Amino acid sequence: MQVRRRTLAKLLLVVFVGNLVVMGAGAWYSYQQAPPIPQEFVGPDGETVVTDDQIQEGKATFQSDALMNHGSILGNGAYFGSDYTADALDRKVQYMRSYYAQERYGSGYDALTGAERAAVDSLVEEDLASTDTTAPVEYSAAEVYAHRQVRTDYVERYHEGSREHGLPAGTIESADDARRFADFALWTAWFSHTERPGSDHTYTNDWPYAPIAGNEPTAGTMTWSVIAMVLLVAGAGIGVWLYRSVELPEPETHGVSIPHPDDIDLLPSQRAATRFIPIGAGLFLCQVLLGGLLAHYYIERDGFFGIGELLGVDVLGLLPFALAKTYHIDLGVLWIATLWLAAGLFLPPLLTGTEPSNQKRYVHALIGALLVVVGGGFAGIWLGANGYIDGELWWIIGNEGLEYLEVGKLWQFGLLAGFVFWAALVARGFKPLLDREEPYGLAHMILYAGGSIALLFSAGLFYTPETNIVVTEFWRWWVVHMWVEGAFEFFIVAIVGITLVSMNLLRRRSAEKAVMFQALFVMGSGVIGVSHHYWWIGQPDVWLPFGSVFSTLELIPLVLILFEAINEYRTLATAGESFPYSLPFAFIIASGAWNFVGAGVLGFFINLPIINYYEHGTYLTVGHAHAAMFGAFGFLALGMVTYMLRIAVDPGQWNPRRLKWSFWLWNAGLAVMVFGSVLPVGFLQLETAFTAGYDAARSLAFYNRDLIQLLFWARLPGDTMLIAGTVIFAYDMVKQRFALRDTSVPASIPGSSVISRRVLPEDD
């Protein structure tokens, strides 16, 4: 069946408005249903144990000291340390057991008989089954004792230091701040075992799994898992049917005049755009080196192959896990974004054959702004995490301390301004097309995709350190997930479409139809699909059905992208040796394949509600994240760089040999890392969560098991290949950047671009 572009555009608009209505209403409802922060918790005698102000101070400590990149809260964050919610809940239970064992039987809990333990456990469960959420909340004597003991534990670990946990002394600067952090963690544990008014489960849908605290999977978790499995089969079938039914022309090399790079003029703004490339390569290299360090920290938590001890350098104190993880995550987003910025500025002249006046100057200005924001943001992270920024400024110019949104608000505004500036430059470059095409044209699609990245990033500006952590996480996931499952996927299909047009492999009309068709399903499922992140963090359980359904439907566009990758591979295989863009094409194909594996296969598995209940915040998520982020978005960025250089480098000096080495090293390294190490650890973690509870799966004892340590070592070959590929790539980017050909003067070449000859009347 044929689908008209205008029809697809109308459907896309309907889906966009529908997403806004659902998520807007969800935001309002989530604010109303967020777990309360009681004004105070008191003991049986009325003595105040903790106040709401102390809990809020603990949240500020959690953020300012970058603790979300050492462990996790409510399952969100880093997996090196414990999950603070599960850890606080487990410690609370253990100390309450000790209290009742001593009070009732004058003995330690472990020395009790089976019947006596059962009696103690019954008392603990009865205390924890409270439904009281009004202020003041009254603790039992056992809870008061447990709360104070957990405070002492956190002072010992996070202030005094615990090198076996990878925590240098002074991770939290003062003992009082460590106590406040314990108060914050215990508050999240409190609402994880306290029933939401009017329901039969806790605020977190009975997460984390801790039977002694009464936390076990709810009926809804089981039911929607079954429904999701049914939808999986239906979604896969719908994806195949749509691909077979809708007429979307595929790339074709036979009988097509493919523009050779030597025949395409290089304009000044395009040459300027290539300056982003060595910057992105440098950021990429730093990221993979830090990734290797982070992987090794799981084996040797207070050093680096003994080198620090040999040289008398405290590696852990110099670069603790939390700081290294912060930089690793931010660099991963930044190098991909940097290369995408370059591609967005390089492509317009290929379709228009012209460039606006002063475009080169503005591109250089954007590069300067990027360097200022990145340098300032990274300096602020280091200063903030090390306690050099006091008062209210720590979250403004320092370290805001939330995963993927670590940089202070000032630098976030700078990044947002940079996105807007970039979009304006891309619009200037595409103006000849924007003036003549429909609002759903290809140039418009690129602007919509880029603009949606900036729009969603602004959600990270809707909270402060005083905001309830559950509400904070609501908005943070708008940025993190909607970027990845919505805006980034939209950008992928748009950028691939425009690249195929610039290669003369697709007509512009066909590319527009394909982009809108896939964007329709990407935006239709991925935006509301963000709600699978809301299941266990204290959000209302209305998100359970939304998350289950729409997360499963995300498979449909990924099936379409996989088919596209297969057809692109067939095109490449039949193109012959004379095809000049085989290497960029290979990166695009790899991006589609890894997108299906990482986001599709692994993403669906970990987002099945009953699996997610146990695996949330484990190494299975690590495997999904690396395969999806680097495999899908990273490979696309690298493919665009290869395409840019193929056009920009002097024909006599173009040599793809090093890039081919990098391509295969990256693919092999990622496969070895994900399938040979990360996923096996994740499955063993899942088994431990099933049998011993979630806290045990995140414990140091689990990571120190001999088999787990062996699997961590098994990651070394994959990491080495990834690092080697990136070193080769960074060297090649610097070398190729100094081998660019001369530019042409735009005024002297009106209409001479190959692609400007493609924009024929019948193609509009």
Side-chain angles (χ1 to χ4, degrees):
M1 64 178 176
Q2 288 190 348
V3 181
R4 295 172 56 85
R5 291 177 299 164
R6 189 179 299 275
T7 301
L8 288 173
K10 291 178 180 178
L11 289 173
L12 192 57
L13 180 61
V14 169
V15 166
F16 178 75
V17 173
N19 283 336
L20 287 181
V21 171
V22 172
M23 296 309 294
W28 175 84
Y29 187 62
S30 295
Y31 268 98
Q32 307 304 312
Q33 298 295 315
I37 305 177
Q39 188 173 3
E40 61 180 348
F41 290 78
V42 300
D45 58 359
E47 178 187 4
T48 298
V49 179
V50 61
T51 67
D52 56 346
D53 288 339
Q54 290 173 324
I55 292 170
Q56 291 285 24
E57 290 170 12
K59 178 176 181 283
T61 296
F62 162 73
Q63 290 183 225
S64 63
D65 290 328
L67 290 168
M68 196 174 194
N69 275 326
H70 185 273
S72 57
I73 195 79
L74 297 165
N76 295 325
Y79 315 136
F80 184 67
S82 59
D83 178 81
Y84 307 121
T85 303
D87 178 68
L89 179 59
D90 184 71
R91 288 173 184 273
K92 182 176 182 178
V93 167
Q94 299 307 323
Y95 283 124
M96 290 175 69
R97 281 173 163 176
S98 297
Y99 179 88
Y100 281 124
Q102 191 66 41
E103 180 191 57
R104 296 296 177 92
Y105 304 105
S107 176
Y109 179 82
D110 292 338
L112 301 181
T113 65
E116 291 169 341
R117 288 186 185 182
V120 167
D121 289 347
S122 178
L123 291 170
V124 171
E125 287 189 63
E126 184 179 342
D127 282 352
L128 296 180
S130 168
T131 58
D132 181 19
T133 61
T134 59
V137 172
E138 185 173 333
Y139 268 168
S140 67
E143 287 180 291
V144 173
Y145 171 77
H147 192 112
R148 289 170 176 165
Q149 291 302 118
V150 174
R151 279 177 172 172
T152 301
D153 290 349
Y154 275 42
V155 170
E156 292 177 356
R157 178 179 293 185
Y158 297 102
H159 171 59
E160 297 173 7
S162 173
R163 299 187 75 84
E164 66 175 353
H165 289 89
L167 290 162
T171 295
I172 295 180
E173 187 174 2
S174 72
D176 192 54
D177 285 342
R179 294 185 189 96
R180 298 293 78 79
F181 173 51
D183 293 337
F184 170 64
L186 282 161
W187 169 69
T188 66
W190 169 76
F191 70 73
S192 78
H193 69 68
T194 298
E195 287 191 1
R196 182 186 291 275
S199 74
D200 60 355
H201 54 74
T202 73
Y203 281 94
T204 59
N205 283 310
D206 285 352
W207 186 92
Y209 178 53
I212 185 57
N215 282 10
E216 295 181 324
T218 64
T221 300
M222 303 293 289
T223 301
W224 284 104
S225 295
V226 174
I227 293 173
M229 290 295 293
V230 175
L231 286 175
L232 169 67
V233 179
I238 291 171
V240 174
W241 175 78
L242 284 171
Y243 185 80
R244 296 295 186 186
S245 301
V246 178
E247 296 182 13
L248 295 174
E250 300 297 338
E252 179 61 57
T253 59
H254 294 297
V256 175
S257 175
I258 299 171
H260 196 277
D262 298 359
D263 301 328
I264 301 176
D265 297 293
L266 183 68
L267 303 188
S269 66
Q270 291 178 300
R271 185 184 177 100
T274 64
R275 295 184 186 276
F276 283 95
I277 296 175
I279 297 172
L283 297 174
F284 185 18
L285 180 58
C286 290
Q287 193 222 0
V288 297
L289 291 173
L290 284 171
L293 174 64
L294 294 173
H296 184 73
Y297 268 143
Y298 279 89
I299 300 168
E300 187 182 6
R301 291 194 168 230
D302 62 349
F304 187 69
F305 293 102
I307 295 175
E309 185 177 352
L310 179 65
L311 300 178
V313 177
D314 182 7
V315 177
L316 181 62
L318 183 65
L319 193 61
F321 185 95
L323 188 57
K325 175 76 184 309
T326 297
Y327 285 142
H328 176 71
I329 287 178
D330 287 356
L331 286 167
V333 175
L334 284 169
W335 76 259
I336 292 173
T338 298
L339 299 184
W340 280 8
L341 292 177
L345 296 168
F346 189 91
L347 287 172
L350 293 180
L351 277 85
T352 65
T354 62
E355 71 174 34
S357 61
N358 295 317
Q359 186 81 340
K360 173 184 174 181
R361 180 180 302 171
Y362 294 142
V363 171
H364 285 154
L366 181 59
I367 293 173
L370 173 69
L371 293 174
V372 169
V373 171
V374 171
F378 276 31
I381 286 172
W382 189 87
L383 292 170
N386 285 281
Y388 291 105
I389 302 177
D390 296 323
E392 293 297 320
L393 291 178
W394 67 265
W395 65 279
I396 297 176
I397 64 174
N399 172 44
E400 192 174 23
L402 297 170
E403 190 183 31
Y404 289 101
L405 294 172
E406 286 86 358
V407 296
K409 278 289 192 286
L410 175 66
W411 311 112
Q412 290 182 30
F413 275 111
L415 289 170
L416 182 59
F419 275 125
V420 173
F421 186 29
W422 172 82
L425 294 183
V426 173
R428 292 181 89 237
F430 275 130
K431 192 174 187 306
L433 277 182
L434 294 172
D435 289 342
R436 64 181 299 179
E437 71 179 15
E438 298 288 344
Y440 48 77
L442 198 56
H444 283 82
M445 287 292 129
I446 291 291
L447 289 178
Y448 297 154
S452 64
I453 294 174
L455 179 64
L456 293 174
F457 185 77
S458 66
L461 307 175
F462 292 171
Y463 52 79
T464 70
E466 287 74 37
T467 304
N468 187 309
I469 186 64
V470 174
V471 175
T472 297
E473 284 294 275
F474 178 87
W475 291 117
R476 188 180 72 87
W477 281 116
W478 270 50
V479 178
V480 178
H481 179 102
M482 290 193 197
W483 261 5
V484 173
E485 306 295 346
F488 279 13
E489 293 282 3
F490 186 10
F491 192 85
I492 277 184
V493 297
I495 209 78
V496 169
I498 204 169
T499 302
L500 294 177
V501 169
S502 70
M503 292 178 182
N504 258 23
L505 301 181
L506 272 183
R507 285 164 50 96
R508 194 159 57 87
R509 176 184 292 179
S510 301
E512 289 168 353
K513 184 183 293 186
V515 168
M516 282 190 289
F517 184 74
Q518 294 188 38
L520 176 65
F521 291 98
V522 166
M523 302 300 287
S525 59
V527 172
I528 300 177
V530 69
S531 49
H532 67 245
H533 292 290
Y534 299 155
W535 292 341
W536 326 121
I537 66 169
Q539 290 288 341
D541 52 359
V542 69
W543 292 118
L544 186 59
F546 275 110
S548 300
V549 171
F550 285 91
S551 291
T552 304
L553 294 180
E554 287 180 59
L555 184 69
I556 295 176
L558 294 175
V559 168
L560 299 177
I561 289 173
L562 177 64
F563 273 113
E564 290 295 324
I566 292 172
N567 283 298
E568 286 157 3
Y569 173 76
R570 290 172 178 164
T571 300
L572 178 60
T574 60
E577 295 182 2
S578 62
F579 183 59
Y581 305 112
S582 59
L583 191 53
F585 224 63
F587 276 102
I588 293 173
I589 294 167
S591 171
W594 278 110
N595 200 358
F596 179 77
V597 171
V601 177
L602 298 179
F604 170 79
F605 174 70
I606 68 169
N607 288 331
L608 193 67
I610 190 60
I611 298 297
N612 193 262
Y613 178 84
Y614 292 98
E615 80 76 37
H616 183 51
T618 68
Y619 250 60
L620 288 174
T621 304
V622 176
H624 155 69
H626 281 80
M629 189 68 179
F630 176 57
F633 308 129
F635 271 116
L636 177 66
L638 295 165
M640 295 312 304
V641 163
T642 307
Y643 180 52
M644 292 167 60
L645 290 177
R646 185 65 187 91
I647 293 172
V649 171
D650 186 279
Q653 299 188 59
W654 168 250
N655 183 354
R657 182 169 53 87
R658 286 184 292 269
L659 280 172
K660 288 181 179 178
W661 270 102
S662 292
F663 175 82
W664 290 113
L665 284 168
W666 284 326
N667 276 282
L670 184 59
V672 170
M673 182 188 76
V674 171
F675 298 108
S677 174
V678 172
L679 289 183
V681 170
F683 282 116
L684 290 171
Q685 232 173 340
L686 182 62
E687 180 186 42
T688 302
F690 284 152
T691 57
Y694 181 80
D695 185 62
R698 290 288 304 275
S699 67
L700 183 62
F702 171 81
Y703 287 130
N704 283 343
R705 287 167 52 181
D706 290 341
L707 178 57
I708 302 302
Q709 288 292 301
L710 179 63
L711 288 170
F712 284 149
W713 279 111
R715 179 174 168 172
L716 185 61
D719 284 357
T720 301
M721 285 188 279
L722 287 168
I723 292 171
T726 309
V727 169
I728 295 171
F729 171 73
Y731 170 76
D732 190 61
M733 290 304 96
V734 174
K735 189 174 180 63
Q736 299 271 30
R737 182 61 185 72
F738 287 101
L740 301 185
R741 56 195 175 108
D742 294 333
T743 58
S744 301
V745 180
S748 67
I749 54 165
S752 66
S753 168
V754 170
I755 305 308
S756 68
R757 294 201 298 269
R758 278 288 290 157
V759 185
L760 301 174
E762 64 268 25
D763 198 28
D764 288 337

